[in-house]
Amino acid sequence: RESEERYRQLFEAESDAVFLIDNETGRILEANSAASALYGYSEEELLALTNQDLSAEPELTRAVTHGTPVVAHRVIAIPCRIHRKKDGTAFPVEITGRFFIHRERPVHVAAIRDITERTLAEEALEQSRQQYETFIDATDDMAFLKDEEMRYVMVNAANAAYFGRAIADIVGRTDAELMSAEGAESCRRSDLEALQRGCVAISHEDVGERIYETRKFPVRLSDDRVGVGGYVRDVTDQTLAERALEKRIIALTRPLEDTGEIAFDDLFDVSDIQRLQDDFADATGVASVITHVDGTPITTPSNFCRLCRDVIRGTDKGRANCFRSDAALGRLRADGPIIQTCLSGGLWDAGAGIDVGSRRIANWLIGQVRDETQTEEKMAEYARELGVDEQEFLEAFREVPAMSHTHFARVADALYSLASQLSTTAYQNVQQARFISEHKAAEGEIRRLNTDLERRVLERTAELEAANSELESFSYSISHDLRAPLRALDGFSQIVIEDYGERLDDEGRGHLQRIRSAAHHMAELMDGLLLLSRLNREGLRREMVDLSEMAAAVAEELAEQDEQRAVEIKIAPSLTASVDRQLARIVLENLLGNAWKFTSRHEAARIEVGAANQSGSDAFFVRDDGAGFDMRYADKLFGAFQRLHSPEQFEGTGIGLATVQRIVNRHGGAVWAEAAPEKGATFWFTFEPAGGD
């Protein structure tokens, strides 16, 4: 009677609807209160029904019930069926059943769960996934997602086109299988950078004649692993335009907005113009100089003769005559150069203006050429007029190159063409300056558009996060719902041990103990899952924590639980960090617990907690001299349920290190391991300072 009462209490306490059903007739023999509540029938009404009466698909139900051979204790699981309540409402259910012989009749127990909310959540998630894939495939960017082993789990159409493969032929492969060794290594390094930094990593790469910008960032996968997502954008046109613009900006000393403020030096590289002037003077045999409008030289004079430079300009009258001649040569003419004899002895001079639009900015002057018909008697007369030494004057005059008027006119025409070309270039440079100004305004508009695009991406990301949150809530709910059948499993096993233990042999009692042990192990797994779920929802409460003191407390608890062990524990003093105290405790409990566990097969063991400089910053470590592991499998360490040792060697759930990684990542840090079989292991971890959180 007591056993029956306990069975009835457990039967009624079950949150799922539970039926005992005759396998031949389908008649319901027993039903718990949860079944009445779910279907809307009273217990008496249910006992008058068959299992086909509850189903909206009676033929399927009959086929499963009558078509399945009765094998005692055989378990069947039906993931989804449609049932109907008393009021006619149809809803999805998940069914788990077990066949056995009861009072010489084949029967089965069916546990039925309403999965309406789960189905709606899955449908919403699937809809969100389809929207996401549509959005991704619509972009010209090459989008991708990789798992923790850097295998592609998603690529869009643009990425498939880049590789020249079908999407299905890319998914499941690594970069090493899709590109050159050099390219694959470059991708691997940038993937690791994105994972370690925990933020967007941007890189540019020239591939042939194209230039690509790649952005990568960590992505939490549906199974709580961390992969890498990102996209590759062809920025060839943009980059080439920027490079060309940079060259133009360099050539232009400063932006020009108004031709009224333009100077020759703003528009040209004077050293380039000097070389042009020198080459022109050497090729034509004339003197040449470029001056500002007021006559101030811009360039250094080329081929200036001694007669003009030293003799004539050495006198007041001669210098005045030169200035008046230069002023006349600086006038603008639209039909050709100005050619005239100078006031200093009648030497040929010519000039052309350099302008921007209708505004003159410089003069290009040539001359100091004597006419072939010019006599020394006339020049001697000019020397006497200036009051200079006649003999010295004539010697200098003989050094001046002689040229016919026709020849000099052709040189002047060439000068005019060069000056006109410089005027055109000057105008283009002004337009370029205005283009720069307009380009800056366009850049502002581009930034605004980019901001708008980022906003839309954030909105889409928020939608995806909401979908992930729904999935996380679903996982959390399932973890809780699984506890009820586990408790029943453990409870019934305990009842059998207590009430029927004397009737069982050692092997039977051992089986029951293993059932209870498995139930406890699964409960521990669910506890680990719940902890992983909570880590993403709760905020960090940072404070300065003495990790040395905390590690000592954890080590003391381990020693009290296993007083027979001989373990030397060395903890460095003054280890501090700005962390969430509760989460830091979980990290140390897992790492020290692992060190304690994996040294258990050594008579004397040593565990060390300390810190050292790694890559320019401090990193903490927990080191042991225990079983260690093969570094070839190190990438599996931090995945949930990933174990490198069998349960027979060392017990555990495989969630501890996944929990450590998630806590460290939430603090902006990183965790990694170094080990060798039977030579111990060292687990390193860092915490980003509070300012970077």
Side-chain angles (χ1 to χ4, degrees):
R1 285 195 301 271
E2 290 174 357
S3 176
E4 172 66 21
E5 182 179 354
R6 282 195 295 269
Y7 159 75
R8 177 57 57 182
Q9 288 175 349
L10 289 170
F11 186 68
E12 291 299 331
E14 177 59 56
S15 58
D16 292 335
V18 180
F19 296 95
L20 179 63
I21 300 173
D22 187 295
N23 203 57
E24 293 181 354
T25 65
R27 188 169 64 86
I28 298 173
L29 304 177
E30 291 189 38
N32 66 353
S33 57
S36 296
L38 178 61
Y39 288 91
Y41 292 100
S42 67
E43 183 177 353
E44 292 74 14
E45 289 174 323
L46 286 173
L47 297 181
L49 302 175
T50 67
N51 57 354
Q52 289 92 344
D53 296 326
L54 301 179
S55 174
E57 308 161 307
E59 293 305 319
L60 289 176
T61 301
R62 177 180 294 276
V64 171
T65 303
H66 293 179
T68 304
V70 178
V71 179
H73 307 299
R74 178 184 178 185
V75 176
I76 61 170
I78 303 175
C80 186
R81 284 285 185 266
I82 304 299
H83 277 200
R84 195 177 302 281
K85 298 184 180 182
K86 182 179 180 180
D87 62 8
T89 302
F91 63 102
V93 297
E94 182 181 72
I95 305 172
T96 303
R98 181 186 291 274
F99 291 100
F100 61 95
I101 304 300
H102 176 65
R103 296 176 181 174
E104 299 182 355
R105 291 183 62 81
V107 298
H108 66 272
V109 172
I112 300 175
R113 175 173 301 169
D114 182 353
I115 59 173
T116 301
E117 292 185 4
R118 183 204 306 179
T119 303
L120 292 175
E122 290 173 347
E123 290 175 352
L125 184 61
E126 176 62 19
Q127 182 181 8
S128 177
R129 186 189 64 79
Q130 292 177 357
Q131 292 173 346
Y132 169 76
E133 290 183 353
T134 300
F135 172 77
I136 289 298
D137 277 335
T139 180
D140 292 333
D141 296 339
M142 295 174 276
F144 61 87
L145 178 63
K146 303 177 184 178
D147 62 18
E148 79 286 354
E149 295 180 348
M150 300 309 149
R151 295 186 178 277
Y152 287 97
V153 297
M154 186 280 292
V155 294
N156 67 347
N159 212 332
Y162 174 78
F163 281 116
R165 296 171 177 258
I167 291 177
D169 192 34
I170 298 174
V171 173
R173 296 177 181 268
T174 65
D175 289 311
E177 300 172 84
L178 297 170
M179 59 181 68
S180 66
E182 182 181 357
E185 176 60 21
S186 176
C187 287
R188 187 190 70 83
R189 288 196 300 269
S190 60
D191 289 342
L192 292 177
E193 179 186 2
L195 286 175
Q196 292 169 359
R197 290 173 55 187
C199 60
V200 176
I202 305 174
S203 61
H204 290 79
E205 184 178 7
D206 290 12
V207 180
E209 297 181 354
R210 310 303 296 175
I211 304 169
Y212 296 95
E213 176 184 88
T214 302
R215 291 174 177 260
K216 295 183 177 181
F217 40 83
V219 176
R220 184 164 58 86
L221 305 176
S222 58
D223 51 3
D224 282 335
R225 297 173 298 164
V226 177
V228 174
Y231 61 87
V232 182
R233 175 173 297 168
D234 187 332
V235 294
T236 305
D237 295 340
Q238 173 187 341
T239 304
L240 293 179
E242 289 174 353
R243 290 175 182 175
L245 184 60
E246 286 174 1
K247 290 180 180 179
R248 290 180 178 271
I249 292 174
I250 291 172
L252 194 63
T253 306
R254 58 185 173 86
L256 305 171
E257 303 294 337
D258 189 345
T259 57
E261 299 297 325
I262 295 174
F264 186 90
D265 304 22
D266 296 326
L267 298 167
F268 300 99
D269 185 334
V270 176
S271 61
D272 291 338
I273 298 299
Q274 181 71 57
R275 285 193 294 272
L276 177 63
Q277 173 191 291
D278 292 341
D279 291 342
F280 182 82
D282 289 341
T284 59
V286 299
S288 184
V289 67
I290 297 175
T291 70
H292 292 294
V293 175
D294 61 4
T296 306
I298 296 174
T299 59
T300 302
S302 306
N303 281 351
F304 258 41
C305 64
R306 181 166 67 93
L307 174 65
C308 295
R309 183 184 65 241
D310 301 331
V311 179
I312 296 177
R313 296 198 179 200
T315 66
D316 292 339
K317 185 175 182 178
R319 185 167 53 253
N321 287 339
C322 288
F323 287 167
R324 286 198 299 272
S325 296
D326 289 346
L329 292 171
R331 298 193 308 273
L332 287 173
R333 285 183 57 184
D335 57 346
I338 295 175
I339 302 174
Q340 64 185 28
T341 57
C342 70
L343 299 177
S344 299
L347 297 180
W348 285 117
D349 284 339
I354 300 172
D355 62 277
V356 177
S358 60
R359 179 176 177 272
R360 185 162 48 117
I361 59 171
N363 301 320
W364 192 340
L365 308 178
I366 63 171
Q368 301 180 17
V369 176
R370 61 187 175 92
D371 192 305
E372 292 176 333
T373 62
Q374 194 169 17
T375 63
E376 290 189 359
E377 289 77 12
K378 187 175 181 179
M379 293 306 295
E381 180 181 348
Y382 187 62
R384 292 191 292 271
E385 181 181 337
L386 294 180
V388 298
D389 183 84
E390 184 175 333
Q391 186 62 34
E392 180 184 5
F393 188 98
L394 291 176
E395 289 178 0
F397 173 73
R398 296 186 187 107
E399 296 173 4
V400 177
M403 192 175 294
S404 68
H405 180 271
T406 302
H407 188 184
F408 184 76
R410 287 200 297 269
V411 174
D413 287 337
L415 167 70
Y416 184 84
S417 296
L418 283 174
S420 297
Q421 184 60 44
L422 289 179
S423 296
T424 300
T425 303
Y427 181 78
Q428 291 173 343
N429 286 349
V430 170
Q431 292 301 103
Q432 180 65 34
R434 291 175 176 172
F435 169 76
I436 292 172
S437 178
E438 293 170 359
H439 181 76
K440 288 182 178 178
E443 284 182 339
E445 178 64 12
I446 290 173
R447 283 194 294 269
R448 186 191 66 78
L449 293 174
N450 284 340
T451 300
D452 184 62
L453 179 60
E454 289 174 359
R455 176 186 59 78
R456 284 184 286 170
V457 170
L458 288 174
E459 290 174 353
R460 178 63 63 184
T461 302
E463 293 176 4
L464 294 175
E465 288 178 349
N468 286 334
S469 177
E470 291 176 0
L471 185 61
E472 186 175 286
S473 298
F474 167 68
S475 175
Y476 185 80
S477 174
I478 289 299
S479 295
H480 274 76
D481 292 344
L482 284 174
R483 291 185 181 279
L486 275 181
R487 286 195 297 269
L489 183 64
D490 185 41
F492 279 122
S493 299
Q494 181 64 21
I495 289 172
V496 173
I497 291 175
E498 292 178 355
D499 294 352
Y500 305 100
E502 295 180 355
R503 305 181 192 179
L504 299 173
D505 56 16
D506 291 342
E507 183 178 0
R509 286 191 297 272
H511 289 328
L512 288 172
Q513 289 294 353
R514 280 193 288 274
I515 291 173
R516 295 195 68 205
S517 176
H520 292 161
H521 180 69
M522 188 170 182
E524 291 175 354
L525 290 175
M526 288 189 293
D527 288 338
L529 287 174
L530 292 175
L531 175 59
L532 285 174
S533 177
R534 285 197 301 271
L535 289 178
N536 280 342
R537 296 196 305 272
E538 297 179 356
L540 292 180
R541 295 180 292 274
R542 284 183 181 265
E543 58 180 301
M544 289 305 299
V545 174
D546 188 332
L547 298 180
S548 298
E549 180 181 338
M550 184 177 288
V554 173
E556 183 177 353
E557 293 174 4
L558 291 171
E560 290 175 353
Q561 295 169 9
D562 194 356
E563 296 180 351
Q564 305 302 317
R565 292 282 306 278
V567 180
E568 177 189 357
I569 299 179
K570 180 182 178 182
I571 300 174
S574 304
L575 300 177
T576 60
S578 176
V579 293
D580 184 298
R581 180 179 294 274
Q582 181 180 1
L583 297 182
R585 172 83 183 204
I586 294 173
V587 169
L588 290 175
E589 286 176 346
N590 277 286
L591 294 181
L592 284 169
N594 278 354
W596 188 274
K597 175 171 62 178
F598 290 109
T599 57
S600 61
R601 297 194 174 187
H602 293 190
E603 288 187 14
R606 176 184 173 87
I607 298 174
E608 182 181 358
V609 180
N613 188 276
Q614 291 281 321
S615 301
S617 60
D618 288 336
F620 305 101
F621 65 84
V622 175
R623 178 178 293 133
D624 66 71
D625 59 356
F629 57 85
D630 191 331
M631 285 295 290
R632 289 180 299 173
Y633 308 108
D635 57 340
K636 299 182 180 295
L637 278 175
F638 300 101
F641 307 117
Q642 297 288 336
R643 291 175 51 81
L644 302 186
H645 301 85
S646 67
E648 291 74 18
Q649 292 176 298
F650 299 99
E651 63 180 12
T653 62
I655 293 181
L657 289 179
T659 302
V660 169
Q661 184 185 57
R662 182 162 300 183
I663 292 173
V664 170
N665 287 346
R666 285 210 63 199
H667 283 79
V671 59
W672 66 97
E674 299 170 353
E678 295 304 325
K679 294 184 179 180
T682 302
F683 283 85
W684 296 88
F685 58 98
T686 62
F687 295 118
E688 184 180 80
D693 185 26

